[in-house]
Amino acid sequence: MSSSTSSPASAATFDPFGQSFTLLQADGTPFIVTVPDLDDFINYSVTISINYAAQLGASLILLIVLLLLTKSDRRTAPIFFLNVNSLAVNFIRNLLQCLYFTGPFSETYAYFAQDYTRVPSSSYADQVAGAVFQFILLVLVELSLILQVHVVCITIKELHRRIIYASSAVVALLACGFRLALCIENSKAILSLDDITSLDKLTSATNIMTAVSICWFCAIFVVKLGFALHQRRKLGLRSFGPMQIIFIMGCQTLIIPAIFSILQYFFLQSMDSNVLTLVAIFLPLSSMWAAASSSGNSASSRSTGPSKRAITYGSGSSRPILHKFGKAPLSPVGSATTQSTASPQQSPVMNQHQDVFGDVEARGGLEVGGRHDHNGDSEK
């Protein structure tokens, strides 16, 4: 009688989604696995694999596009070398991460029993290589950012330029140093199958330092280009060109990776892996966009006469906007196309005008792969 009365009560409290089952270790010792734990394991593996696969695909597509669209005379530029290698390394890094979640390390029994005796040595090598490629990718990204800071700041005062260069080198070295330490400790943990939770503090410090370094470099881009754009607007130069493109991409590279660095502490921990991927993608993407805009402006300047692109300065003199600078003078003053009906004396704003036109960004040199001499002239 008691058994019949207890049966409905137990059926009412029974949760079929919370069931558990028993597995046996190699020595016959039983252990229990619940269905929710199995669901969490599967969902995590699928989610992470989708994330890494998306980064892999984006890097591969942009790498192919970059190789196809970059002109031969720009393939020897250091920035092109860094961009191509960053995308290639990022592709390999994400591929190795995908191999982990589809390989013997992520088999159900191996995971829950923590029994990795059947994992081949090649799988260990893949995971160590993944940690190494993460470090190599950061080094390439930091070198690319340092190179572009050098290009951006080439026209400012020497003292300020040296301070920026020194600060940038310190920030980049700190980021690479933290990543190298994490790479070494993570590789040791992989080979010895130690619990990686002991590396949580080092991992967090590395991610924070990486985000700080990216934000530092992008802040330099945004401030310098923002000031140059403000000066150009004061001179009446409002056309959309390479400077605006680099400014947009600089803001994008400053904000979006920082968002992903913050989200990893509230959502998936793998969100931090998107930070370097975004930077590795944004840098060549801005290069191609700026180069395409510069080429478009050049074609437009050849198809329209100078008189159609002339603007009037305060004294009434009419001077053409130089869309394609190359070896052109840094200032329209003295140009053969100058059409002046007023006094030949230089306008008070022309000193600022010359500084603005002297910026390498105004000629599309930033991220496009131009080489700059000591006078600030750009050679495409």
Side-chain angles (χ1 to χ4, degrees):
M1 183 70 179
S2 60
S3 61
S4 62
T5 56
S6 61
S7 178
S10 61
T13 59
F14 174 70
D15 183 10
F17 292 94
Q19 298 184 70
S20 61
F21 54 92
T22 302
L23 296 177
L24 299 177
Q25 295 183 351
D27 58 359
T29 304
F31 63 96
I32 297 176
V33 178
T34 65
V35 172
D37 290 339
L38 181 60
D39 290 337
D40 291 339
F41 167 69
I42 295 175
N43 291 334
Y44 181 80
S45 299
V46 171
T47 304
I48 295 296
S49 298
I50 292 174
N51 183 26
Y52 287 126
Q55 299 178 57
L56 183 151
S59 300
L60 178 60
I61 292 174
L62 189 57
L63 176 60
I64 295 174
V65 172
L66 181 62
L67 293 174
L68 292 177
L69 297 184
T70 302
K71 297 180 180 179
S72 57
D73 59 337
R74 291 175 179 170
R75 293 178 182 271
T76 58
I79 192 65
F80 175 79
F81 173 82
L82 292 173
N83 287 338
V84 168
N85 283 274
S86 296
L87 292 173
V89 168
N90 192 53
F91 172 81
I92 298 174
R93 175 183 73 98
N94 287 286
L95 178 61
L96 294 173
Q97 295 293 344
C98 291
L99 291 177
Y100 173 83
F101 290 99
T102 57
F105 273 109
S106 295
E107 292 180 353
T108 303
Y109 174 79
Y111 174 79
F112 286 102
Q114 293 294 291
D115 184 359
Y116 300 104
T117 55
R118 295 191 180 182
V119 176
S121 58
S122 59
S123 295
Y124 287 92
D126 290 341
Q127 299 316 304
V128 173
V132 173
F133 273 96
Q134 180 90 351
F135 170 71
I136 296 174
L137 176 62
L138 178 64
V139 172
L140 292 172
V141 168
E142 295 291 343
L143 287 176
S144 179
L145 293 173
I146 289 175
L147 178 61
Q148 297 187 57
V149 164
H150 171 72
V151 175
V152 168
C153 299
I154 199 171
T155 58
I156 66 177
K157 296 181 180 179
E158 183 178 358
L159 177 60
H160 297 165
R161 187 168 64 248
R162 291 181 180 274
I163 293 175
I164 293 176
Y165 289 170
S167 302
S168 300
V170 171
V171 171
L173 288 174
L174 284 174
C176 293
F178 274 98
R179 180 61 66 180
L180 179 60
L182 180 60
C183 174
I184 295 173
E185 295 300 325
N186 192 22
S187 299
K188 291 180 179 179
I190 291 172
L191 296 176
S192 60
L193 294 176
D194 291 338
D195 187 9
I196 62 173
T197 55
S198 59
L199 302 178
D200 286 347
K201 291 184 178 180
L202 179 58
T203 302
S204 179
T206 301
N207 295 332
I208 291 174
M209 196 63 228
T210 300
V212 168
S213 67
I214 294 173
C215 292
W216 165 263
F217 289 110
C218 294
I220 295 175
F221 300 154
V222 171
V223 172
K224 180 64 172 66
L225 293 178
F227 177 77
L229 288 174
H230 177 69
Q231 295 296 319
R232 288 170 60 87
R233 289 180 65 88
K234 290 172 62 177
L235 297 172
L237 305 177
R238 301 175 181 270
S239 60
F240 187 85
M243 284 187 66
Q244 287 79 0
I245 293 172
I246 303 302
F247 181 78
I248 292 172
M249 298 302 293
C251 294
Q252 183 172 296
T253 309
L254 173 65
I255 297 173
I256 297 181
I259 292 176
F260 276 90
S261 299
I262 297 173
L263 289 179
Q264 66 174 328
Y265 294 100
F266 301 96
F267 297 98
L268 292 174
Q269 294 183 352
S270 64
M271 296 292 283
D272 64 292
S273 68
N274 294 273
V275 174
L276 290 179
T277 297
L278 289 171
V279 179
I281 289 175
F282 286 163
L283 292 180
L285 190 62
S286 59
S287 250
M288 292 186 293
W289 188 9
S293 176
S294 179
S295 300
N297 289 340
S298 300
S300 176
S301 63
R302 289 192 298 267
S303 62
T304 58
S307 60
K308 296 181 180 180
R309 293 178 286 108
I311 60 175
T312 302
Y313 292 90
S315 60
S317 61
S318 179
R319 298 183 174 91
I321 302 176
L322 299 181
H323 290 271
K324 180 68 175 179
F325 290 85
K327 291 296 184 177
L330 296 182
S331 171
V333 175
S335 172
T337 59
T338 301
Q339 302 173 358
S340 178
T341 58
S343 172
Q345 184 177 0
Q346 185 172 347
S347 171
V349 300
M350 290 311 297
N351 291 330
Q352 296 181 1
H353 189 199
Q354 182 173 355
D355 293 338
V356 173
F357 276 92
D359 280 342
V360 290
E361 309 94 272
R363 300 190 297 277
L366 180 61
E367 294 186 346
V368 180
R371 297 187 300 275
H372 308 275
D373 57 21
H374 296 290
N375 295 326
D377 290 335
S378 174
E379 297 180 2
K380 295 298 178 102

